[in-house]
Amino acid sequence: MFDLNKLKGYAKKQREQDSTESETSVEAYVESKEPAAEIDEEIYIPIDDDEDIMPIPDEYREAQTAEMPDNDNEGFGDIIEKCFPEKAYNIELERLLPYRKNIFLAVPDENLIKDINRSGITEPLLVRSIGNGEYEVLSGGRRRAAAERLAWTKAPCRIADNDILTDDMADMIVVQSNRHRFAELTVSETVRVSAVLGERSEKDLGITSEQVQKYVLLNGLVQPLLLMLDDNSLPLAAAEILAELPQATQRSIYDIADSSAFKITSANAAELAKAKRLTEDNIIKILKPKPAPKIVVPPETAEKYLSGKTVKEAEEIIELALAAYLKEVIS
């Protein structure tokens, strides 16, 4: 771990430099291989000069180091060493984007926020360039979110060599960086993680082979529909049906259901899957709630049992009669 008093000195140097030099984009630093700040460790620590440095409780320190990749995993440490140069660069948070596959939700806990507020981001994020001066966060999404909560503008990052890093490697880095969260994954996160781990999901996530197959199918869902599984607003049976539809169609279904407050049920999902052509009008027609069926009482029955009754009295009699009938049938 870094010496905090030393880091405080680094931060002071950085602020002095920032106040005397014009701002330079991170791309320029990357291209020239020069650090984004003239400090030995290139760590961004926004600490006031007159702030006393107190010892960091172990639970705070663990909150940050726990998010780092599991380098003990066979071959994983080699990927990090091979693909990510040691030098870190300070990159604006607005340029650090979530991983495109949306495997995990980057929500920092309070211990992590307190740790970073006290000691800064002492473990650089792992990112890869996606062009236009923007970067995908492979490891450190929660640290980035914590920095944003603290109103910081930059975070230290190690930038991957895209000539070496493959998409499969990127997937594995994202998943292995969050192994400590496997016991508390949401349904949507479990689906995405299973797609990366494959057969290893049974051992690493403690799920059955049948569940793995189901999650592989659900991985075909677009993110908004998948997230609906987390709060049970989308039945699992309906999700399995929708997952087999083209993703463009899924997005249309979600957009229409969301904007019109239509519920997606197993029944209308099956109807959507059977439809030969799913235009916007057809989707609305299928998702739109159907009116309740009208019950007609034959005239002779009404005359026999409901003669002289008001509409309200007749409704009450019918309701009581149905309740008594169903109770007798069930018992």
Side-chain angles (χ1 to χ4, degrees):
M1 299 297 293
F2 294 100
D3 182 281
L4 291 178
N5 288 318
K6 186 178 179 182
L7 290 174
K8 181 176 176 180
Y10 294 155
K12 183 176 179 181
K13 288 182 182 181
Q14 180 182 341
R15 287 193 296 275
E16 289 174 352
Q17 182 182 18
D18 289 344
S19 64
T20 57
E21 295 182 1
S22 60
E23 184 175 353
T24 306
S25 69
V26 69
E27 293 96 316
Y29 291 126
V30 174
E31 291 172 2
S32 64
K33 302 301 181 184
E34 291 296 323
E38 291 296 333
I39 53 178
D40 294 341
E41 308 289 353
E42 290 111 19
I43 300 297
Y44 182 63
I45 310 290
I47 300 176
D48 294 334
D49 289 336
D50 57 355
E51 181 180 348
D52 290 333
I53 303 299
M54 303 296 291
I56 302 175
D58 288 341
E59 62 267 25
Y60 293 170
R61 192 182 305 278
E62 290 170 0
Q64 187 168 166
T65 56
E67 200 193 29
M68 289 306 296
D70 179 10
N71 289 347
D72 291 333
N73 189 59
E74 185 178 357
F76 186 67
D78 294 335
I79 294 177
I80 301 299
E81 184 177 353
K82 180 170 63 174
C83 300
F84 292 87
E86 286 290 339
K87 186 172 289 186
Y89 299 85
N90 290 326
I91 302 178
E92 293 86 351
L93 297 184
E94 62 189 21
R95 297 188 183 193
L96 301 176
L97 308 182
Y99 190 52
R100 69 190 73 180
K101 293 188 179 179
N102 297 305
I103 296 178
F104 294 97
L105 303 177
V107 181
D109 59 40
E110 292 304 313
N111 278 346
L112 180 62
I113 294 172
K114 289 176 182 177
D115 176 16
I116 290 177
N117 188 42
R118 229 178 231 283
S119 60
I121 297 178
T122 56
E123 301 288 356
L125 285 61
L126 301 180
V127 304
R128 70 171 175 180
S129 173
I130 54 175
N132 299 319
E134 295 179 327
Y135 300 83
E136 273 188 324
V137 178
L138 306 184
S139 172
R142 297 199 309 154
R143 276 168 278 155
R144 184 218 173 277
E148 188 170 45
R149 284 269 300 273
L150 294 167
W152 293 4
T153 60
K154 300 178 183 178
C157 303
R158 291 171 62 184
I159 303 171
D161 184 340
N162 280 355
D163 292 334
I164 302 176
L165 185 73
T166 65
D167 287 341
D168 287 344
M169 288 178 178
D171 286 347
M172 192 56 65
I173 289 170
V174 173
V175 168
Q176 295 297 341
S177 298
N178 288 274
R179 286 188 67 86
H180 62 289
R181 297 174 57 195
F182 280 7
E184 54 190 35
L185 296 180
T186 64
V187 176
S188 63
E189 290 173 335
T190 303
V191 168
R192 298 298 193 214
V193 171
S194 296
V196 175
L197 293 178
E199 294 179 356
R200 289 179 51 192
S201 300
E202 295 180 48
K203 178 182 178 182
D204 290 358
L205 300 179
I207 59 180
T208 65
S209 59
E210 290 77 11
Q211 286 176 308
V212 173
Q213 293 175 7
K214 182 175 292 188
Y215 290 149
V216 168
L217 171 62
L218 293 175
N219 190 52
L221 285 172
V222 295
Q223 187 69 2
L225 287 175
L226 183 61
L227 291 176
M228 291 174 68
L229 291 174
D230 291 341
D231 61 8
N232 296 314
S233 57
L234 178 66
L236 185 59
E240 292 175 354
I241 295 171
L242 296 179
E244 299 193 72
L245 296 177
Q247 294 207 334
T249 302
Q250 292 183 39
R251 292 189 186 93
S252 297
I253 292 171
Y254 173 80
D255 290 341
I256 292 171
D258 183 58
S259 62
S260 303
F262 292 156
K263 287 187 176 180
I264 302 176
T265 65
S266 301
N268 59 30
E271 195 174 348
L272 288 166
K274 292 178 182 177
K276 293 181 179 179
R277 188 161 174 261
L278 281 177
T279 63
E280 182 176 344
D281 289 340
N282 287 341
I283 294 173
I284 292 174
K285 183 179 179 181
I286 293 172
L287 292 182
K288 190 174 182 179
K290 309 296 188 292
K294 291 184 178 181
I295 300 175
V296 178
V297 179
E300 58 274 16
T301 303
E303 178 66 26
K304 183 177 180 179
Y305 297 105
L306 304 174
S307 178
K309 305 296 183 182
T310 65
V311 173
K312 184 175 181 181
E313 289 173 337
E315 288 175 348
E316 290 176 351
I317 290 172
I318 292 172
E319 183 178 352
L320 289 171
L322 287 171
Y325 171 77
L326 292 174
K327 183 178 180 180
E328 183 177 342
V329 170
I330 294 173
S331 60

